[in-house]
Amino acid sequence: MSDDYRFTDLPLDDIRPGTSVLVSGPTHDGSRSLGMQMLAGEYDEGAIIVTTNQRASRMAEDCQRFGIDVRDDRTAILDCVGDDDDPDVPARVLPVSGPADLTGIGMRFSDVYREFKTTDIDRVRTGLCSVSTLLSFGDLRTVSRFVHTLVGRIDKVDGLGVFVVDPTGHDERAINTLAQFCSGQIEVRDRDGSAELRTRGLSDQPREWTPFDAFP
Amino acid sequence: MILCVDPSEDDREATRAALDSTYEVRTAASLSDAQGVLSERPVECLVTEYDLSDGTGLELVRAVRNDAPDAACILFTDTTLDEIDTAAFGDVVAEYLPKDDPDAHDELASLVEHALLFRDQTAYPLPDDEDARVAALERYATDPESLGDSLDRLTELATALFDLDAAAIGLIDAHEQRFLSCFGISFGPVEREETVCTYALLDEGVTVIEDTSEDPRFEDNEGLQAADIRFYASAPITTPEGHTIGTFCVYGDDPRTVSERERELLSLLADEAMEQLVLRRRLRDSGGERDE
């Protein structure tokens, strides 16, 4: 049986464990939606979501909206925003001091992944929403090191990494550099009110613009 | 070299014992001892406790990032994440592994092995053929002295061709760029994360940065600023087997564009430099070289 990560409602073929992809496109064109939908896994999978610009409670709601089965024993939100006093977030919320604290995000990730593993959760999808915020708060070299380290870690544990970036306001060369750390890139655009994706660097995936549902 | 730092002698030795015996491992008991080791030798991997008697593991990670920025850094610690203030160290980036995990030592060994193999704490992307590339480099760059003035002639010709003041031929090893020839400029070895050529390695063909101060990868680069470099172009120096081991670069102190013909000329110069390296290697292999 294949261990690949599956995407039931998206025009994407299965992705091999250990892969990280950069999902790039304007947020309002559907890049964030695609990234979140890619994190919706099967019942036995875990999810770790880094939120850089939305409160944990909002992020948990979004997760549910995009099909992620949020449960506190297997969904962790690494919260770089703080100020969330909602005690009823159904996920495990772990604080990070802010989006400039890349060391904190990376170490929290390692720690929560290890805890998942002790409860026999071996398949974990990791989402970073979004890399754009990290670029706004840190220099490219630091963000590069962080992304490289996280991609390496996801590869080592046979996870799936989804790094969402809105290139608006960022230099194309910065985005391309970050894409070079990932196994592949998925670009997202809006054409006449319909979201489309195309992939680069991933085998057996659509290379031409292909529509997907950004509002499931 | 792997550096293990822990104030507890028992823990220090247990960490050392967990690592593959083929690695060269040094140990230190405190931040200042560890800094002493760093000043002697480049470190490839740091495994450190957080609470050191004279400082913290994150302070040590910061020191390592200064001396050996590519090193893999791992906090292997009894301190929980809630007790570690990472905010002031947000830019250093390190792995975290608690010691109380039942499989902690196995996990550490596997983390170290993976980090050394894939070098995934570098701040720059690695080419797909990185290992083969570095191995090829070692075969061609064993005796740079034997090249004599041949490469210096090429860099001088390049400046005249491009009407610029500076040109250089550099080889890029696992961690540094070293220059075989510089004309109109002088470089010692440069950390890989500091050089434009590190990024050029991943490009197909000629790389042109018309204005380094407008490129997010280089706008804060102090080395370029100190050398007054605004314009950069390079062609890859590629072995007959197809591995890029270095670059032939031209530099200018003003932004500039490059014509198609100039791209071709720069590639010709890079190919000529490679040819020189191939010929010297053949000479060495056939034993035809004599001491002068």
Side-chain angles (χ1 to χ4, degrees):
Chain A
M1 201 189 104
S2 160
D3 287 332
D4 289 354
Y5 289 91
R6 277 184 282 277
F7 308 95
T8 43
D9 297 321
L10 291 168
L12 289 174
D13 211 332
D14 300 350
I15 288 184
R16 194 168 45 80
T19 303
S20 285
V21 294
L22 188 75
V23 174
S24 62
T27 304
H28 55 78
D29 283 3
S31 59
R32 188 165 185 281
S33 162
L34 178 66
M36 298 292 287
Q37 291 186 68
M38 288 179 72
L39 299 175
E42 281 148 62
Y43 189 78
D44 63 342
E45 293 180 13
I48 301 172
I49 298 134
V50 182
T51 175
T52 60
N53 50 13
Q54 276 197 337
R55 290 168 167 222
S57 52
R58 215 14 240 294
M59 178 52 91
E61 284 165 24
D62 269 7
C63 285
Q64 285 163 332
R65 187 151 63 89
F66 289 113
I68 301 168
D69 181 13
V70 180
R71 286 168 287 161
D72 60 7
D73 61 336
R74 56 181 63 229
T75 311
I77 296 177
L78 310 195
D79 179 9
C80 308
V81 181
D83 289 336
D84 205 330
D85 39 21
D86 182 352
D88 298 324
V89 180
R92 178 111 201 264
V93 179
L94 299 158
V96 178
S97 69
D101 185 3
L102 302 178
T103 308
I105 299 173
M107 295 197 336
R108 280 285 179 200
F109 171 82
S110 299
D111 198 40
V112 75
Y113 178 83
R114 192 185 50 80
E115 281 179 29
F116 276 180
K117 198 154 194 285
T118 59
T119 55
D120 291 329
I121 302 169
D122 290 326
R123 293 163 58 77
V124 178
R125 301 186 190 215
T126 299
L128 179 53
C129 298
S130 71
V131 181
S132 325
T133 320
L134 305 186
L135 281 174
S136 303
F137 282 86
D139 61 74
L140 178 61
R141 186 182 295 181
T142 304
V143 176
S144 290
R145 190 190 311 285
F146 167 74
V147 169
H148 196 188
T149 304
L150 193 53
V151 164
R153 183 84 177 147
I154 288 165
D155 173 53
K156 180 173 184 292
V157 300
D158 283 336
L160 171 75
V162 178
F163 294 74
V164 179
V165 67
D166 183 340
T168 315
H170 296 288
D171 192 293
E172 185 190 350
R173 289 162 294 197
I175 306 298
N176 288 344
T177 299
L178 296 176
Q180 284 173 324
F181 296 110
C182 298
S183 328
Q185 187 173 1
I186 306 181
E187 292 170 281
V188 175
R189 71 173 184 186
D190 177 274
R191 271 298 168 273
D192 304 324
S194 153
E196 297 182 335
L197 64 82
R198 74 170 174 190
T199 73
R200 275 197 243 167
L202 299 166
S203 50
D204 305 322
Q205 301 287 356
R207 298 187 156 272
E208 304 302 323
W209 287 109
T210 307
F212 72 96
D213 187 359
F215 304 99
Chain B
M1 184 260 289
I2 302 177
L3 176 58
C4 297
V5 186
D6 203 312
S8 149
E9 189 181 352
D10 288 352
D11 284 8
R12 207 160 59 229
E13 289 311 316
T15 302
R16 181 210 281 269
L19 300 174
D20 191 305
S21 58
T22 57
Y23 296 134
E24 183 199 347
V25 178
R26 297 280 299 270
T27 56
S30 67
L31 177 61
S32 57
D33 286 358
Q35 282 170 327
V37 176
L38 291 181
S39 65
E40 288 166 27
R41 290 276 313 276
V43 64
E44 284 171 279
C45 180
L46 169 74
V47 179
T48 181
E49 178 50 271
Y50 175 71
D51 202 352
L52 309 176
S53 52
D54 53 349
T56 71
L58 285 177
E59 287 176 65
L60 181 55
V61 173
R62 170 149 288 155
V64 168
R65 290 273 176 250
N66 278 329
D67 288 350
D70 294 350
C73 297
I74 302 166
L75 280 192
F76 185 52
T77 178
D78 282 322
T79 309
T80 66
L81 268 183
D82 290 331
E83 297 169 283
I84 296 178
D85 182 11
T86 52
F89 297 91
D91 59 339
V92 299
V93 178
E95 276 290 352
Y96 172 81
L97 183 64
K99 277 184 191 160
D100 64 1
D101 191 280
D103 303 321
H105 283 102
D106 289 344
E107 184 58 31
L108 177 70
S110 123
L111 206 53
V112 167
E113 190 188 1
H114 188 271
L116 291 177
L117 200 55
F118 294 99
R119 304 185 41 220
D120 49 21
Q121 289 191 15
T122 67
Y124 51 85
L126 300 167
D128 290 338
D129 66 342
E130 175 68 11
D131 291 346
R133 198 190 69 72
V134 172
L137 173 75
E138 283 160 12
R139 290 197 294 279
Y140 284 101
T142 45
D143 186 14
E145 298 298 317
S146 72
L147 291 158
D149 297 331
S150 56
L151 297 185
D152 292 338
R153 284 191 287 271
L154 291 178
T155 46
E156 183 172 352
L157 284 170
T159 55
L161 265 178
F162 288 84
D163 192 22
L164 290 167
D165 294 328
I169 295 171
L171 297 181
I172 300 155
D173 69 18
H175 301 291
E176 282 180 335
Q177 180 168 25
R178 291 170 186 275
F179 292 87
L180 297 178
S181 171
C182 294
F183 185 85
I185 200 161
S186 171
F187 290 122
V190 184
E191 290 291 352
R192 207 161 146 183
E193 69 172 35
E194 305 281 352
T195 81
V196 182
C197 298
T198 296
Y199 296 85
L201 269 188
L202 282 90
D203 290 345
E204 291 275 324
V206 172
T207 297
V208 176
I209 313 291
E210 293 183 359
D211 185 351
T212 56
S213 72
E214 295 283 312
D215 189 306
R217 296 169 296 179
F218 314 119
E219 60 192 5
D220 299 325
N221 190 303
E222 290 169 7
L224 294 178
Q225 286 161 7
D228 207 13
I229 293 172
R230 286 288 291 279
F231 163 79
Y232 165 100
S234 75
I237 294 177
T238 305
T239 68
E241 298 78 28
H243 300 300
T244 297
I245 57 175
T247 47
F248 196 119
C249 315
V250 290
Y251 312 98
D253 48 16
D254 288 310
R256 185 186 190 279
T257 56
V258 175
S259 69
E260 259 326 294
R261 179 62 184 152
E262 285 178 319
R263 286 173 182 263
E264 286 168 17
L265 291 172
L266 193 53
S267 296
L268 290 178
L269 287 166
D271 292 347
E272 184 56 31
M274 186 68 230
E275 185 87 8
Q276 290 290 337
L277 294 172
V278 169
L279 291 173
R280 302 297 147 153
R281 185 183 164 204
R282 247 180 235 157
L283 213 55
R284 270 197 304 278
D285 289 353
S286 65
E289 196 177 39
R290 291 190 196 92
D291 292 333
E292 309 246 339

